[in-house]
Amino acid sequence: MSGDAATHHGAGDAPVAQPHTDVTVPQGSADLDRVEAPVTMKAYFMCAFAAFGGIFFGYDSGYINGVMGMPYFINQIEGPGHDALSSTHKSLITSILSAGTFFGALMAGDLADWVGRRTTIIGGCLVFLVGVALQTASADLGLLVAGRLVAGFGVGAVSAILILYMSEIAPRKVRGALVSGYQFCVTVGLLLASAIDYATQDRNDSGSYRIPIAIQMLWALILGTGLFLLPESPRYFVKKGKLDQGAKVLARLRGQSVESEYIQNELAEIVANHEHELSVAPEGGYWSTWMNCFRGSLWTSSSNLRRTILGTSLQMMQQWTGVNFVFYFGTTFFKQLGTIQNPFLISLITTLVNVCSTPISFWSMERIGRRPLLIWGALGMVICQFIVAIIGTVTSADPAVKTMIAFICIYIFFFASTWGPGAWVVIGEIYPLPMRARGVALSTASNWLWNCIIAVITPYMVDSDKGNLGAKVFYIWGGLCTACLVYAFFLVPETKGLTLEQVDQMLEETTPRTSAKWVPHSTYAADMGYTDKAGHHTVEHASKEEV
């Protein structure tokens, strides 16, 4: 760092590696209202398109629910005369995708810093296409499992880096709504999967399962092609020291000219925040950059370790809500209840509730905030889950089953409008730029790890020839949701209405329970001395390998 910058905002707290390159930083502003340009419709639609990636994430997660209940597919896997998949095969087919996504998300964290956010997402789409082709060609268990594993690598990469990309390009005032749009597209993907499964379930040929599988290619092609037309994240270019390119893409995203004062101010704020973070924890080699995710004290809310634990545990908690039990195993679970005439139709209804409830978060995420939604959403889910469990324990009469389905739908409403989008929004906001790609990758990998664990163990808990819990499994989900409620109250901060740089500052100065009262009081550009009206400042990045 230059001597001018090193005297600001704690820059001397840690030794800085030898300078490696000089970049000229535009002058910033101490005016908190001018650190970001006003939102334009062009900028809004560019950011919103990226959310489309949620469709093939949701579709790929959802189509297998219906396929595993199709008579032709069951006979193809188990042989003639069987009317259901074995618990082992059901567990393997469902969970192998999540195993692939776990490793895909982790690798994507590296790739996003090496080649860029946009390029990594496009590469994930290509890997996904290969996996879908293998699944479509499959006529037995082996090739289907291999295809789902390969597709998982692509889904993992896309699901992790899309959240990162959207969080970095979206304006602060609509960032929560736009990232919630990603979750909405996930629900649309689930709905499309249910609808197509419903349409092909009675076919007595391989088209019954090959059509739902093959349609996934369309979503990957649309996303991959569209991203060629969108710009790279400006924060990626700042991380690489390419400020000219960063200014150009920022201007394109905000609908302003490169010379605009808004663009210069926002770019200066991003650079100043990045320089501050590098002064506290300089980047080194490959392993050092990963270790940065675990630096600091567990008892300090702004430490990298605390943020990594927050992100990974938040995604774990999202899976603990048990919602994927309904979307992965809903068809077979509703069959088990006995009085349901058409379990495919009930699964379609629960998915439709999911789709219709998620758009509420577009408004509530920015008006009510992340923290209250997670707290009240967990409480609503707890109540519904215990009601379902108690009714299922007491009676299996037809009116009771209908009541259970009604409360399952209300439970899905609470999830879809709170924890569904909320967990994704928060993990995209809490990490500082030097570790953001790896932090989001770790958080997404945590989601998929727990997704995989739940997919593996659930059939053994509920199938009639195994644990045979049936509706009693909702006691487990209710207990875990109680943990989510306590967790959200004590550990989740409020981040609405702040730039990513202001979130960083807020975490340093407050605690989760008092975070909602925090208001920005200075800019990083002012603190780092980048607001001198006399001209630009030259700063030196800490030495680092191109990671």
Side-chain angles (χ1 to χ4, degrees):
M1 284 231 194
S2 67
D4 180 40
T7 60
H8 293 273
H9 226 305
D13 293 347
V16 180
Q18 290 300 311
H20 140 75
T21 183
D22 291 344
V23 291
T24 301
V25 182
Q27 66 184 39
S29 172
D31 185 349
L32 292 168
D33 294 326
R34 301 191 69 81
V35 294
E36 189 175 87
V39 182
T40 64
M41 287 305 294
K42 176 187 174 185
Y44 189 89
F45 284 121
M46 287 177 69
C47 298
F49 176 79
F52 181 83
I55 285 187
F56 82 77
F57 166 23
Y59 187 96
D60 196 55
S61 299
Y63 87 85
I64 202 66
N65 175 22
V67 164
M68 289 192 301
M70 293 178 180
Y72 186 90
F73 180 78
I74 292 168
N75 290 333
Q76 194 84 343
I77 300 299
E78 302 291 349
H82 289 80
D83 59 0
L85 292 176
S86 68
S87 298
T88 302
H89 288 162
K90 199 188 304 181
S91 173
L92 174 64
I93 292 169
T94 307
S95 63
I96 195 67
L97 175 82
S98 303
T101 53
F102 173 78
F103 293 105
L106 287 180
M107 290 189 292
D110 287 333
L111 291 171
D113 278 347
W114 285 340
V115 300
R117 283 62 161 140
R118 188 185 65 150
T119 308
T120 301
I121 297 169
I122 293 171
C125 290
L126 294 175
V127 173
F128 178 76
L129 286 170
V130 173
V132 173
L134 291 174
Q135 292 176 73
T136 305
S138 68
D140 57 24
L141 183 66
L143 192 57
L144 177 73
V145 168
R148 280 180 66 77
L149 179 64
V150 172
F153 278 93
V155 173
V158 172
S159 61
I161 306 308
L162 258 181
I163 295 297
L164 170 66
Y165 179 69
M166 292 175 64
S167 296
E168 289 191 339
I169 68 173
R172 60 177 170 170
K173 293 180 180 178
V174 293
R175 187 176 61 241
L178 287 170
V179 178
S180 296
Y182 168 82
Q183 177 65 20
F184 174 67
C185 287
V186 171
T187 66
V188 171
L190 286 164
L191 177 63
L192 289 171
S194 293
I196 292 167
D197 283 346
Y198 185 69
T200 65
Q201 61 174 311
D202 294 325
R203 288 179 65 110
N204 196 28
D205 57 29
S206 63
S208 60
Y209 69 90
R210 282 183 169 146
I211 291 172
I213 292 173
I215 285 175
Q216 298 174 97
M217 292 185 180
L218 180 61
W219 319 136
L221 288 170
I222 293 172
L223 178 66
T225 303
L227 279 171
F228 273 110
L229 306 177
L230 293 182
E232 181 54 84
S233 164
R235 287 173 171 87
Y236 166 73
F237 286 125
V238 168
K239 183 175 172 64
K240 289 295 188 182
K242 301 176 180 178
L243 299 194
D244 288 345
Q245 289 176 265
K248 288 177 183 176
V249 298
L250 189 60
R252 186 178 167 196
L253 285 166
R254 300 293 182 254
Q256 303 272 333
S257 68
V258 175
E259 295 77 21
S260 163
E261 187 178 343
Y262 281 114
I263 299 303
Q264 298 300 306
N265 289 345
E266 185 171 357
L267 186 63
E269 183 73 356
I270 295 170
V271 173
N273 173 252
H274 187 230
E275 292 297 323
H276 164 60
E277 293 297 338
L278 287 180
S279 72
V280 175
E283 289 187 333
Y286 175 78
W287 294 111
S288 176
T289 55
W290 272 108
M291 289 308 298
N292 273 345
C293 297
F294 305 98
R295 293 188 193 277
S297 168
L298 180 63
W299 311 111
T300 304
S301 61
S302 63
S303 71
N304 288 358
L305 173 63
R306 181 73 171 264
R307 297 186 203 210
T308 300
I309 291 174
L310 173 62
T312 53
S313 57
L314 190 63
Q315 289 292 315
M316 174 185 74
M317 293 284 178
Q318 191 201 52
Q319 289 300 311
W320 279 13
T321 62
V323 75
N324 278 333
F325 165 72
V326 178
F327 296 130
Y328 283 169
F329 303 107
T331 303
T332 50
F333 172 71
F334 294 133
K335 270 185 182 179
Q336 225 178 3
L337 294 179
T339 60
I340 302 298
Q341 297 290 326
N342 192 335
F344 280 90
L345 184 59
I346 302 300
S347 286
L348 187 59
I349 291 170
T350 58
T351 310
L352 188 60
V353 171
N354 194 25
V355 173
C356 294
S357 304
T358 303
I360 295 171
S361 66
F362 297 176
W363 174 85
S364 60
M365 202 63 66
E366 299 299 348
R367 294 297 297 272
I368 298 174
R370 287 67 156 152
R371 177 179 161 84
L373 285 182
L374 293 177
I375 292 171
W376 290 105
L379 179 61
M381 287 189 287
V382 166
I383 294 170
C384 292
Q385 285 164 334
F386 280 121
I387 289 174
V388 171
I390 291 168
I391 292 174
T393 303
V394 172
T395 179
S396 59
D398 187 55
V401 170
K402 289 178 180 176
T403 304
M404 287 166 60
I405 291 172
F407 274 100
I408 288 173
C409 289
I410 297 171
Y411 148 60
I412 291 171
F413 161 79
F414 278 113
F415 173 85
S417 56
T418 60
W419 275 81
W424 293 109
V425 171
V426 172
I427 68 162
E429 298 175 328
I430 58 175
Y431 296 109
L433 180 56
M435 63 168 285
R436 187 173 294 139
R438 287 176 170 88
V440 174
L442 284 168
S443 300
T444 308
S446 172
N447 180 291
W448 287 112
L449 174 64
W450 284 96
N451 190 307
C452 180
I453 291 170
I454 289 171
V456 168
I457 65 175
T458 300
Y460 295 98
M461 291 195 298
V462 299
D463 282 5
S464 55
D465 61 337
K466 302 293 181 182
N468 198 26
L469 286 178
K472 296 183 185 71
V473 75
F474 280 91
Y475 283 120
I476 296 174
W477 305 135
L480 292 173
C481 258
T482 303
C484 295
L485 172 61
V486 174
Y487 172 89
F489 181 78
F490 286 106
L491 294 176
V492 176
E494 182 53 72
T495 56
K496 73 166 182 168
L498 305 176
T499 66
L500 295 181
E501 289 67 41
Q502 287 169 347
V503 170
D504 200 31
Q505 195 174 20
M506 177 270 291
L507 290 173
E508 292 179 356
E509 299 177 1
T510 189
T511 65
R513 292 176 66 185
T514 60
S515 57
K517 298 177 182 178
W518 186 88
V519 292
H521 50 81
S522 66
T523 66
Y524 273 102
D527 290 343
M528 296 290 285
Y530 297 163
T531 57
D532 185 357
K533 298 301 181 182
H536 294 347
H537 292 265
T538 299
V539 300
E540 295 168 343
H541 281 302
S543 176
K544 57 183 180 291
E545 295 179 13
E546 293 298 317
V547 294

